[in-house]
Each structure stands twice: as structure tokens, then as C-alpha cells.
Amino acid sequence: MEEGLEDLKKNKRKRKTHVPVRMNLLFFAVFLLFSLLVLRLGLVQIVNGESYKKEVERTEDVVVNTGVPRGKMYDRYGNVIVDNIPLNAITYTRANNTKIDEMIDVASRLSRFIEKDTGDVTERDKKDYWIIKHQEAADAKVSDEEVQKLQNNEELSEDEVNKKVYQMRLDRITDKELDSLTENDLEIIAIYREFSSGYALNPQIVKNEGVTPEEFATVSEHLSELPGVNTTTDWKRSYVFDDTLRTILGNVSSSREGLPKNLVDSYLARDYNRNDRVGKSYVELEYEDVLQGQKEQIKNVTKGGSVLESVLVQQGQRGKDIVLTIDMELQREIEKIIEEELSKQIVHRDASPDLDRAYVVMIDPNTGEILAMAGKQYVKNPETGKYEMRDAALGTFTSSYEVGSVVKGATVLTGYMTGKLTPGEVLIDEPLRIKGTNPKTSWFNKYQQIPMTDLYALEKSSNAYMWKVALKIAGGRYVPNEPIVNNPEAFDVFRNHYAQFGLGVPTGIDLPGESAGLTGTKTDPGFLLDLAIGQFDTYTTMQLAQYVSTIANDGYRVQPHIMKEIREPTNEKESLGPILFEKETNVLNRIDATQKQIDHVQKGFYRVYHNPEGTGYIFHDAPYNAAGKSGTAETYIDGELSYNTTLIGYAPYDNPEVAYATVVPASHIQASGVADPYVNKYISRRVMDKYFELKKKRAEEVKDPTSVNKKVENAEEAEEQMQEEREENN
């Protein structure tokens, strides 16, 4: 019995020793599981927390960016140039789970309350709609055998099979079936197209132009029957001065156009939506980031695709305003002058059949501020068949021409800078008889030998003087009846020095699409002579304005610019907001000439305008003291010889405040005896007269264009035009 008790005690001890081991194993297992849980939670929160958070926000909290009106544009004196017109608008916002048939149903109901233009409805739109409305008939257009055959193709995924089947149905819809669609069907299609564009939960414009008060009121009354539809206020760009400077101001895309295809990726990376309205060209494009404004952000808290709550995240603000350097009154007057002078010449189409345009740029030579950039072109309207004047201001910096003798100031200074010519040096103007070529002469001297200084050569516009300077730079000299030196490197010498003035290189204007002109590729020695008198390479009107400004301001090449200031937007109609940014003068380089050398060429330019033999003598009696240089260049159009005429200048001579360049391509044909070859001079004199006339008038009015509290001069006129446009839209 004692042995039995002993055995029982041993068994109990054994069982007692097993209990702690099992508990330890259990605790260890729990510890491992808990550690894994902590590790997993850490991984979720720390490593992947941000991505999971974004995923939840994407599916449950959707932030919608609502567009705001763009910033306005003003001229340098506070005149409104570009504004925004408020428009009644009808929008549609679809949820994530909105079905196509639901959208079609709402579009059908909405079509009873509004008129929608159907001009943009495509054949594909019609076919898609026909399939939706005739599902059974559409399904029957593709047999089960055809579907099965596609499904048996292992190379095709399920999506690819469905796409091919759908395309087969589209292809088999007949014209007769499409013709069965009524006008109301087309209207529904047009509305549905707007519904389905853009993203879910982002309002889409259904109609914003031409929304009548009756339509707006009726839709507002029936919103409960139109899920997703809303009535609101939209905007569109208004160009207060109509066609004036229109090509320079640029365009804004519509909500239907959205982002330009070539810039989609760039805009999307900056949080734009695909249907955002953005600047497409020129000022609107160049200053898109400034004009776009701060969008209103609304967070839609959703569940199961339905919006539970909308929370304002960020208040929207209209884009910042831009003050341009342009003097709009001067711009309009210059355009009027160009039109009047061109019209006088166009009546002689037989004499100058290719004369159809003219360009003028006026600039502050000290700051680079563009006061006016005007261009007009006489073109045939394809719709009416009648000729009319159209804005061609773009041509001032995108179109280049042979400009003739206006470059001779740069030629003389190139002679100085290379050490091949000294101020006051006398050379002989004479016909150049180069072996194997016809004699080359100045326009005023066909037979004689006339000694002249560089100043007289500029005054009379001597070709022979410039040719001899070019030969010196090339390392040669003129010997009658002998070949001239052949030095291709001389072309580079000329162009490198011309570039110091802005000729043959971009001016740096703050607008996209600038042309640097065309550079001749031939290096025959005769072309070097042509280059020296402006009849080989081509230049833009803007380049000429920069070039003459460089001479006027004692040798500093200043970057031209059209943006003067950026201002805080304000709701005050009578004043501009505070200045946020002011464009500073940007000197690109100074020419490699001494002040004495520059002064000497300035004297030559003065003689051009004031001496009786000067080619710009038309300015001799001006009430302001001006200087400059004229030019005439041979050009061939369709094999016919014609002439481009140009004129550059600045004033006052002692303290220049304005510089200009005028280019009139194909202005006359020599020996016609009808067309006036001096249209460039008439335009230039009238333009400069107008500048100083306006300056005098403004001095009497005492306007201050630099005041932070600058008054908006044409607020009432702009408001009247906006009201007229509103009435037209309604």
C-alpha cells in the first residue's frame, strides 16, 4: 500500500512539472503572435500608412477642384483690356456609381427644359446612343458564333473581346437606323456628351452660353427631378477692345476643349483637371500660372458612390491681374494709321500686288517696355469674299524680312569694333566693278566717285561705303575689275557683332513663338556685301526695335517685355489691387564699342532725319528732335522683283524715351510709277507725332501710372460692353 501511495505521489509531481511547460509554450506563442501583430500594424501605419490613407481618401473622401475666373489684364494706364463676363450656367455632376441609363434618363428630362446645340454631335455619338436605346437589336448584330470565335482566341483578353464585339456592332449600324434618330434624340445626345465628359464628382458644364432667363429659372424649379443637375454662375473671357491686339492677348480653351493635347502631362502634374480652361496662346499661355487663380476645393465624403457630405477645404480666388506695358490708346491710334496708309496703297494693286501688310513696334529704349506692337494685314474673308483689314500684330515678332539699309548703323559700328574703320574715315562711293559681275552701285550714284565720311554715308545711305567696310572686315580691299576677297569667316564676324544689337538672335520677348529670323547659308563673297546692307539675312520688326534702342540708349541691349506688373485681384471696379511683382529692366549685354564710337553713329542717324539729303528728312520739321535710319531691300515674290521698305528711329535725340521700327513688306515695284515707295515714312512720322501728341495730352491730365491705387480708366465702358455681351448670350 505504501508503494501505491508512493507511485501516486510521483505521478502528481510529474503532472505538476508539465503544467508550467505548457503555460510557457502558450505564453510564448501569444508573445509571437502579438509581436507579429505589432509588426504588422507598424508596417501598415509607418511604411504604408500614407498610401493606404490616400486610397481611403480616393474612395471615400473625394476632393473636387472648382475653377474660378481668370485674372484680368490692364494696359499701362489702368484701362481694362481683358475681363470676365459672368454667365448663367447649367452643370451636371455624376456620382461614382451613376449608370449610363440613369444619365440618359436625366439628359432626356433636361432636354425638355433647355435648347442644346447639336452641331458637335458626331456619328460615333449617334451610334453609341442608338446601341443604348436599342440594346436587343444591337446585340443581334453580332451572332453567338462570332462572339464564340473571338472568345476561343487565346491571344485576346476578355476586355479585347468585348471591344471587338462592340466595334462590330458599331460598324453594322446602318444609315437608315441612324436617320431614325429625331431632333430630340440629337439634343439628348448633345446633353449626354457633356454629362459623360470629365471625372465623376466634378461638375461638368452642360450649357453656359445662351442660357436664357427662362431656361435658368425652369431648370432651377425642377432640380429635384434632375439628379446631378445644378444651376450656377460661370464666366467667359471678354476682350474689351475687340480686335485690337487680339492675336497677342491669346486665347483660352473652352471646358469642352480642356487642356491642350501637347501640354496635358505638364498640366496634370500641376493638379489641373482635364477639362480646365487654360491659356492656349501668347499672353494667356505665357502667364497661365498667374492668371489661373486659386481653385475652390470641396471634399465630398462618399460611401458606396453616394455623397454623404460636402466640406469646403479651400476658398477659391480669382486669378491675379496683369498690367501690360502696352499703351492701349496709342496702340489703337497706330493701328488706325497703318490701316489708313495701307488703304491708300492697296488701291494700286496692279503696281504692288503683294503689298498687304505693315508692322510697327514702339518701345521704351531704356526699360524694354513695349508701348505698342501693331500689325495689320489686308486679307480676303473666305465667308464673304470681301477684303478686310485684320490684326496681324503677331507678325511683329514671328515674321522676318530682308530689311535693307536700316542695318548700316550696325555695319559701321562693326567696322569700329573690329578695328577696320575709324570714326570720320573717308571712303569713296563709286560703282563697284567686280570681275565677272555687273557693276554694284549706291541708289544715288551710278557713275561718279564721291568721297564721303561714315556720317555722310549713313545720311545718304551709301551702299558702296558699307561694301568697302565689309571687304576690310573680310581682310581685303576693292580693286576695280578684280575678284573680291573670299573669306567665309567674315560672315561669322558680322553676325556675331550684329547679335550684340539683337539682329539675328531672339530678343527675349516674354511671348512664345518668337522668330530669330533666317540666316543665309551661302558664303560666296558677294553675299557678304549683301549682308552688310541688310539684303541677305532676315530680321523681325521686334529685332529692329531692339537694335535701334541699343543705339539710342548708348549701347545697352535691353530685353523687350509686355508684362509690366502683377497685381492682387480686387473686387473694386474703380481701382487695381496692390502690386505683387514689378518687371525690372533686364540688360542682356552692352555692345563692344566705346561711347565715342556710339555717339558718332548717333550723329549719323541725326543727319538722316535732319539734313536735306538724309533719307529720313520727313522728320526734319517734327516738334520733337528725332533720329534714325531708313531702309529698302530687294526681295523676290513668285519670281517678281519687289521692295521691302523700313524705318527705325528714336526721340528725343538727346534723351531718348521712345524708339520704334516700321516694316512694310513688298511695298512697291520699282518703275511702276504708281505705288508710293514712302509708305513706311508716312506711317512712321504719323506714329511718332501721335506718341508725342498723347504725351502732351496726358501731361495736362496728370495721370500717374505707377500708383498702387491706380484708377481703372475705362471701368464704365468695360461694364457697358460686358452688359451688351451678356444680353447677346441670353
Side-chain angles (χ1 to χ4, degrees):
M1 185 167 178
E2 290 180 359
E3 291 179 359
L5 288 172
E6 189 64 29
D7 290 339
L8 181 61
K9 290 179 180 179
K10 288 182 179 179
N11 290 334
K12 285 183 178 181
R13 282 198 297 270
K14 287 181 180 179
R15 284 197 295 269
K16 286 181 180 179
T17 57
H18 289 165
V19 171
V21 172
R22 290 172 182 169
M23 287 296 291
N24 288 337
L25 288 174
L26 178 61
F27 288 146
F28 182 69
V30 170
F31 173 76
L32 286 178
L33 290 173
F34 187 74
S35 299
L36 288 172
L37 179 61
V38 171
L39 182 63
R40 181 61 179 168
L41 286 173
L43 185 67
V44 169
Q45 285 189 307
I46 299 172
V47 180
N48 298 322
E50 192 63 28
S51 61
Y52 284 130
K53 181 181 177 183
K54 289 182 178 179
E55 180 66 16
V56 169
E57 290 177 347
R58 187 184 70 81
T59 57
E60 297 297 331
D61 299 330
V62 180
V63 176
V64 176
N65 294 319
T66 303
V68 294
R70 293 172 72 80
K72 299 179 182 181
M73 296 185 202
Y74 299 86
D75 83 340
R76 66 189 296 110
Y77 292 113
N79 294 298
V80 182
I81 299 176
V82 184
D83 208 336
N84 303 302
I85 298 177
L87 300 173
N88 287 334
I90 297 167
T91 66
Y92 177 79
T93 306
R94 60 186 173 92
N96 285 320
N97 59 353
T98 303
K99 297 178 181 178
I100 291 177
D101 56 347
E102 293 174 342
M103 295 167 65
I104 290 289
D105 180 56
V106 175
S108 179
R109 294 184 204 175
L110 184 58
S111 69
R112 299 199 299 267
F113 306 131
I114 67 172
E115 291 185 5
K116 178 68 175 172
D117 180 39
T118 61
D120 292 333
V121 174
T122 65
E123 183 177 293
R124 174 59 187 266
D125 294 328
K126 296 177 185 178
K127 288 184 175 183
D128 288 333
Y129 178 78
W130 188 91
I131 289 176
I132 293 169
K133 300 299 288 184
H134 304 85
Q135 193 64 57
E136 290 185 6
D139 290 345
K141 288 186 176 293
V142 181
S143 67
D144 293 340
E145 291 78 11
E146 290 175 308
V147 175
Q148 188 62 47
K149 183 178 179 180
L150 290 171
Q151 290 176 340
N152 292 337
N153 188 341
E154 296 180 355
E155 295 181 358
L156 297 177
S157 66
E158 184 177 350
D159 286 342
E160 290 172 332
V161 169
N162 291 336
K163 287 179 182 179
K164 286 184 176 293
V165 170
Y166 191 79
Q167 186 60 50
M168 291 167 68
R169 288 174 182 151
L170 289 172
D171 295 340
R172 293 173 185 180
I173 297 174
T174 65
D175 292 339
K176 184 178 180 180
E177 288 169 328
L178 287 184
D179 291 340
S180 68
L181 297 176
T182 65
E183 284 298 320
N184 183 243
D185 286 326
L186 296 180
E187 204 168 40
I188 294 171
I189 295 170
I191 294 172
Y192 171 72
R193 286 178 81 243
E194 307 297 348
F195 282 10
S196 58
S197 62
Y199 300 106
L201 300 176
N202 280 269
Q204 307 300 318
I205 298 293
V206 178
K207 185 177 181 180
N208 60 357
E209 292 195 39
V211 177
T212 66
E214 292 77 13
E215 287 178 329
F216 193 81
T218 303
V219 173
S220 297
E221 291 172 4
H222 293 82
L223 290 179
S224 60
E225 307 168 24
L226 302 166
V229 175
N230 195 12
T231 51
T232 184
T233 301
D234 194 33
W235 58 271
K236 81 165 187 174
R237 272 318 219 186
S238 170
Y239 299 90
V240 178
F241 292 94
D242 300 321
D243 195 44
T244 302
L245 207 67
R246 188 65 188 81
T247 55
I248 298 297
L249 298 175
N251 291 301
V252 177
S253 65
S254 65
S255 56
R256 161 61 59 178
E257 292 175 288
L259 304 179
K261 291 182 180 179
N262 60 322
L263 298 173
V264 166
D265 293 338
S266 172
Y267 280 122
L268 291 178
R270 289 146 57 193
D271 292 329
Y272 279 74
N273 293 330
R274 288 184 180 274
N275 63 337
D276 279 345
R277 283 170 281 184
V278 298
K280 296 195 298 183
S281 55
Y282 302 105
V283 176
E284 293 278 17
L285 172 61
E286 183 72 16
Y287 293 103
E288 167 64 26
D289 292 343
V290 175
L291 295 167
Q292 180 63 23
Q294 177 179 286
K295 295 180 180 180
E296 180 180 82
Q297 289 188 348
I298 298 176
K299 179 185 286 187
N300 289 318
V301 181
T302 66
K303 186 173 183 180
S306 300
V307 178
L308 300 179
E309 182 185 8
S310 294
V311 180
L312 179 64
V313 176
Q314 175 179 278
Q315 188 73 42
Q317 185 182 46
R318 173 169 69 80
K320 295 176 178 59
D321 296 332
I322 289 180
V323 177
L324 302 181
T325 61
I326 296 293
D327 176 348
M328 209 59 178
E329 187 175 6
L330 177 63
Q331 174 79 25
R332 287 167 68 83
E333 291 292 344
I334 291 176
E335 290 186 5
K336 182 180 177 182
I337 290 168
I338 294 174
E339 286 191 15
E340 290 174 353
E341 294 298 335
L342 270 185
S343 296
K344 294 176 185 177
Q345 304 303 314
I346 287 170
V347 296
H348 304 297
R349 298 289 287 180
D350 55 333
S352 297
D354 297 302
L355 171 60
D356 65 350
R357 70 196 71 182
Y359 305 105
V360 174
V361 170
M362 295 198 82
I363 193 170
D364 183 330
N366 304 300
T367 66
E369 293 185 356
I370 300 170
L371 307 177
M373 48 191 309
K376 285 292 179 179
Q377 186 174 7
Y378 191 64
V379 296
K380 187 175 183 179
N381 188 320
E383 296 180 1
T384 64
K386 296 181 180 179
Y387 280 89
E388 58 188 35
M389 289 287 184
R390 288 190 180 175
D391 180 50
L394 281 182
T396 56
F397 67 97
T398 61
S399 299
S400 62
Y401 303 91
E402 297 96 338
V403 297
S405 300
V406 290
V407 307
K408 289 177 179 175
T411 298
V412 169
L413 278 162
T414 298
Y416 299 160
M417 289 187 280
T418 56
K420 303 299 182 180
L421 185 70
T422 57
E425 185 172 341
V426 175
L427 298 175
I428 305 297
D429 182 290
E430 60 184 321
L432 267 61
R433 294 178 172 82
I434 301 168
K435 185 176 182 179
T437 67
N438 294 324
K440 297 173 69 69
T441 68
S442 297
W443 66 274
F444 58 87
N445 179 21
K446 305 296 182 182
Y447 310 105
Q448 299 177 330
Q449 288 188 324
I450 304 175
M452 58 177 57
T453 64
D454 46 4
L455 295 185
Y456 190 43
L458 289 171
E459 175 188 332
K460 288 285 289 183
S461 198
S462 167
N463 286 345
Y465 193 100
M466 305 303 156
W467 291 331
K468 290 186 176 182
V469 171
L471 292 176
K472 282 172 166 267
I473 291 172
R477 63 186 183 88
Y478 169 66
V479 178
N481 301 312
E482 293 293 330
I484 58 176
V485 63
N486 184 3
N487 180 5
E489 293 180 359
F491 286 87
D492 293 333
V493 173
F494 257 102
R495 288 172 179 142
N496 289 338
H497 284 83
Y498 274 16
Q500 294 184 35
F501 300 90
L503 296 174
V505 293
T507 65
I509 184 174
D510 53 339
L511 289 171
E514 180 185 11
S515 169
L518 298 176
T519 300
T521 57
K522 297 181 179 179
T523 57
D524 299 343
F527 291 116
L528 182 67
L529 305 186
D530 293 338
L531 179 62
I533 61 170
Q535 298 199 153
F536 190 45
D537 291 356
T538 66
Y539 312 108
T540 67
T541 313
M542 189 64 64
Q543 286 175 321
L544 293 185
Q546 188 180 57
Y547 152 57
V548 72
S549 294
T550 304
I551 290 178
N553 67 26
D554 296 336
Y556 297 93
R557 183 165 78 101
V558 178
Q559 180 183 11
H561 58 96
I562 195 171
M563 190 274 285
K564 181 177 176 65
E565 300 164 353
I566 297 173
R567 289 183 176 251
E568 191 71 46
T570 176
N571 293 325
E572 296 293 329
K573 294 182 179 180
E574 300 296 328
S575 63
L576 277 70
I579 295 176
L580 297 175
F581 173 82
E582 188 170 7
K583 179 73 174 178
E584 296 181 353
T585 300
N586 183 21
V587 177
L588 300 175
N589 62 267
R590 189 186 188 279
I591 63 173
D592 189 23
T594 66
Q595 187 60 52
K596 182 178 179 181
Q597 291 169 338
I598 297 171
D599 290 343
H600 201 68
V601 170
Q602 289 173 346
K603 291 176 183 177
F605 276 25
Y606 182 88
R607 290 174 59 158
V608 170
Y609 272 29
H610 291 273
N611 286 9
E613 293 185 75
T615 54
Y617 189 61
I618 191 172
F619 279 94
H620 77 282
D621 60 350
Y624 45 87
N625 199 10
K629 185 73 187 75
S630 67
T632 302
E634 293 183 357
T635 186
Y636 286 87
I637 301 175
D638 297 329
E640 292 290 329
L641 176 63
S642 186
Y643 293 84
N644 301 331
T645 57
T646 57
L647 195 65
I648 59 174
Y650 57 90
Y653 173 73
D654 295 326
N655 187 23
E657 67 181 58
V658 62
Y660 79 93
T662 300
V663 175
V664 186
S667 60
H668 76 292
I669 294 178
Q670 196 176 41
S672 67
V674 181
D676 196 328
Y678 303 116
V679 61
N680 61 321
K681 297 174 183 177
Y682 301 146
I683 290 174
S684 299
R685 173 63 195 265
R686 291 185 62 187
V687 162
M688 289 289 275
D689 286 353
K690 181 58 64 176
Y691 170 84
F692 284 98
E693 177 187 320
L694 290 176
K695 179 185 177 183
K696 181 179 179 181
K697 184 185 77 169
R698 285 169 180 150
E700 296 169 355
E701 295 174 356
V702 194
K703 288 186 180 179
D704 180 10
T706 62
S707 172
V708 171
N709 298 315
K710 184 189 296 182
K711 183 179 179 182
V712 178
E713 298 298 330
N714 65 335
E716 293 183 4
E717 293 89 338
E719 183 64 30
E720 289 175 2
Q721 181 179 10
M722 288 171 62
Q723 182 61 37
E724 291 175 0
E725 294 193 26
R726 279 196 212 103
E727 292 173 356
E728 290 177 3
N729 289 323
N730 292 334

